[in-house]
């Protein structure tokens, strides 16, 4: 059953009428209502296109958090064959907020990892809503070290509200683990590509998004803090999250203009949750193109390319 966001109510009403007419049409005694259904479908499609053509930053935030949006395991299943997950950081424990391992991306051996939020109550609790603890980032470091050793490209899928802020995570060195993961990415001698598929929140995202190529889905967001968190700090009022979202420049379009990211992956009209398979295919094409652009570089060139990219951020504003 499709879930609608608050601002999608006009579309929801039209599509509900379409479903009602279809149910009536199943009655053999009912008059032909095919024309009415077609007319309403066109009207709903036009309304959806118009709505998503002018989303505000806050509305994009809601779309990025949509519960039916495809998550890491969906991209992994759709793009990676022969996937073999690895568990544990060999220091403390397994953290299922970050899932990672090795497989083949369109025939090419790769290391792949990403934050997994979960699809229902059970999986969301198991994956801690995609908020990793230190052991999750140390597992990511372990995976990247192996990828570097065997000359395998690294693909990261970013989707987290941020690293887990619990006391036990701080006790086990959350900041240090994030820094180590970021440092590991900067030192990789193999190409790495990161795609923000939903939320890219704070250091929790940066830890696996410090890549040669950083891409974003059209309605994803990427920021140093959530709009609610920024509003609480700036105005002492979380209700002003919409104002914060607008001023923070968290959308893919703003970040591409500012030189923070390298490309935008177009989503189907209505967002990735409307057509997950088309979104996953488009994401795969963008990742393939990015890896191809980096394919002829040696380890030193790869490191220099990555360093130059991040050092250039903010210098041409």
């Amino acid at each position: 059953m499709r879930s609608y966001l608050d601002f999608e109510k006009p579309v929801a009403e039209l599509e509900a009428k379409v479903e009602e007419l279809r149910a009536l049409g199943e009655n053999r005694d009912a008059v032909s209502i095919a024309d009415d259904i077609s007319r309403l479908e066109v009207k709903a499609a036009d309304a959806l296109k118009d709505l998503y053509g002018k989303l505000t930053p806050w509305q994009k935030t809601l779309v990025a958090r949509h519960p039916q949006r495809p998550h890491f395991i969906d991209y992994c299943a759709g793009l990676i064959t022969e996937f073999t997950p690895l568990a544990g950081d060999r220091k403390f424990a397994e953290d299922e907020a970050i899932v990672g391992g090795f497989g083949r991306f369109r025939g090419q051996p790769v290391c792949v990892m990403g934050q997994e939020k979960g699809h229902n109550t059970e999986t969301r609790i198991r994956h801690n809503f995609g908020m990793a603890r230190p052991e999750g980032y140390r597992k990511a470091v372990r995976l990247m070290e192996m990828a570097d050793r065997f000359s395998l490209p690294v693909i990261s899928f970013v989707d987290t509200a941020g690293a887990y802020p619990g006391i036990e995570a701080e006790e086990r060195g959350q900041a240090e683990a994030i820094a180590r993961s970021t440092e590991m990415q900067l030192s990789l001698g193999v190409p790495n590509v990161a795609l923000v598929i939903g939320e890219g929140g704070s250091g929790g995202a940066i830890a696996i998004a410090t890549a040669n190529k950083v891409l974003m889905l059209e309605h994803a967001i990427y920021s140093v803090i959530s709009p609610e968190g920024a509003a609480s700090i700036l105005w002492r009022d979380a209700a002003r999250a919409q104002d914060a979202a607008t001023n923070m420049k968290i959308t893919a379009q703003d970040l591409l203009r500012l030189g923070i990211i390298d490309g935008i992956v177009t989503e189907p009209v209505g967002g990735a949750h409307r057509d997950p398979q088309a979104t996953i295919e488009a994401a795969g094409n963008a990742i393939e193109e990015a890896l191809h652009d980096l394919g002829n570089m040696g380890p030193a060139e790869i490191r220099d390319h990555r360093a130059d990219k991040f050092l250039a951020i903010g210098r041409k504003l």
Side-chain angles (χ1 to χ4, degrees):
M1 184 175 179
R2 180 168 290 151
S3 175
Y4 293 92
L5 300 169
D6 287 344
F7 68 85
E8 293 179 313
K9 284 182 179 179
V11 177
E13 292 172 358
L14 288 169
E15 292 185 340
K17 290 179 182 178
V18 169
E19 292 303 317
E20 289 176 9
L21 289 175
R22 282 178 177 162
L24 289 173
E26 293 176 359
N27 187 339
R28 295 180 182 177
D29 297 328
V31 296
S32 176
I33 52 176
D35 290 343
D36 291 335
I37 291 176
S38 297
R39 178 176 54 80
L40 281 174
E41 284 180 332
V42 170
K43 190 173 181 180
D46 289 342
L48 189 68
K49 184 177 180 181
D50 182 63
L51 190 63
Y52 272 76
K54 54 183 181 183
L55 292 180
T56 66
W58 176 247
Q59 288 172 334
K60 282 183 177 287
T61 300
L62 298 178
V63 175
R65 296 170 176 173
H66 196 288
Q68 295 175 331
R69 196 173 177 85
H71 296 156
F72 169 73
I73 59 172
D74 301 308
Y75 287 90
C76 189
L79 297 175
I80 308 298
T81 58
E82 301 179 37
F83 178 62
T84 302
L86 296 185
D89 63 349
R90 293 187 175 177
K91 290 180 174 66
F92 181 78
E94 160 66 348
D95 181 4
E96 294 190 61
I98 291 182
V99 179
F102 296 86
R104 293 182 182 275
F105 170 68
R106 297 184 174 177
Q108 180 181 11
V110 296
C111 169
V112 61
M113 69 182 79
Q115 285 115 350
E116 172 57 41
K117 286 185 172 181
H119 290 79
N120 53 40
T121 301
E122 180 185 352
T123 56
R124 285 168 187 155
I125 292 173
R126 187 171 77 242
H127 294 289
N128 200 35
F129 299 87
M131 296 185 294
R133 297 175 172 86
E135 44 273 23
Y137 296 112
R138 290 176 179 135
K139 176 172 66 175
V141 170
R142 175 189 167 203
L143 290 169
M144 288 185 282
E145 287 175 341
M146 292 181 66
D148 204 31
R149 189 179 309 135
F150 295 106
S151 300
L152 301 178
V154 177
I155 303 173
S156 303
F157 293 87
V158 181
D159 190 14
T160 182
Y164 183 61
I167 293 175
E168 66 272 26
E170 296 298 330
E171 290 174 340
R172 294 198 296 273
Q174 183 72 288
E176 185 271 345
I178 290 173
R180 290 288 182 188
S181 185
T182 306
E183 179 187 39
M184 184 67 228
Q185 289 207 304
L186 287 170
S187 67
L188 283 173
V190 295
N192 61 335
V193 176
L195 173 64
V196 183
I197 58 176
E199 288 185 276
S202 192
I206 287 289
I208 64 169
T210 312
N212 289 99
K213 296 280 189 178
V214 180
L215 310 173
M216 285 181 70
L217 290 188
E218 182 180 359
H219 302 309
I221 60 171
Y222 192 20
S223 62
V224 70
I225 191 173
S226 70
E228 296 91 337
S232 295
I233 293 171
L234 293 174
W235 299 297
R236 301 291 191 271
D237 183 4
R240 295 189 63 180
Q242 296 188 38
D243 295 331
T246 300
N247 288 287
M248 288 168 63
K249 309 301 181 187
I250 62 177
T251 69
Q253 295 73 22
D254 283 330
L255 294 171
L256 181 64
R257 178 175 54 83
L258 294 171
I260 307 297
I261 65 170
D262 303 290
I264 298 174
V265 179
T266 303
E267 297 185 29
V269 175
H273 56 282
R274 285 260 170 177
D275 192 344
Q277 290 306 314
T279 304
I280 292 169
E281 183 67 19
N285 293 338
I287 292 169
E288 183 177 30
E289 182 180 352
L291 289 176
H292 180 267
D293 291 343
L294 301 166
N296 294 324
M297 295 184 184
E301 290 178 288
I302 286 290
R303 294 187 188 97
D304 289 343
H305 175 277
R306 192 183 299 116
D308 290 343
K309 167 188 165 54
F310 284 94
L311 288 171
I313 290 176
R315 292 186 175 182
K316 298 180 181 179
L317 298 179

